[in-house]
Amino acid sequence: MSIDIETARKVAHLARIRVEDDALPALASEFNTILGFIEQLQEVDVEGVEPMVSVTPMRLKRREDMVTDGSQAEKVLANAPDAREGFFAVPKVVE
């Protein structure tokens, strides 16, 4: 697959990146380099290789899932510009 200048322009537009016309050939070249690397990766035989999260085998620490109120309502509301009756008070935005 090859990226031409018009495709590079379209990708830049979709990504909301302003690219000057004189920089489009370099951008297309960079896209082609990236796609070439991806094509190389697709040639690697991964048959029988299990997905892994880390290069070292480890188990994540487990904890019991407990629902609490946080016991810190006063501390949280201390950061609020306006708090009433234990809740954040916000201006009305819908009429």
Side-chain angles (χ1 to χ4, degrees), residues 12-64:
H13 174 73
L14 291 172
R16 304 288 193 260
I17 300 171
R18 184 181 315 159
V19 179
E20 301 299 328
D21 288 340
D22 59 339
L24 284 171
L27 181 63
S29 175
E30 287 182 35
F31 284 154
N32 285 320
T33 302
I34 293 168
L35 289 175
F37 181 69
I38 291 170
E39 288 174 0
Q40 283 181 342
L41 289 176
Q42 289 177 339
E43 295 174 6
V44 175
D45 180 24
V46 293
E47 188 67 33
V49 177
E50 292 186 29
M52 59 185 198
V53 178
S54 174
V55 294
T56 58
M58 66 169 82
R59 285 189 60 87
L60 296 176
K61 294 180 182 178
R62 306 277 185 202
R63 64 175 171 80
E64 188 175 335

Side-chain angles (χ1 to χ4, degrees), residues 63-70:
R63 64 175 171 80
E64 188 175 335
D65 191 13
M66 297 172 26
V67 178
T68 66
D69 65 354

Side-chain angles (χ1 to χ4, degrees), residues 73 76-90:
V76 172
L77 290 175
N79 294 320
D82 187 11
R84 297 181 197 154
E85 300 176 15
F87 296 97
F88 285 93
V90 296

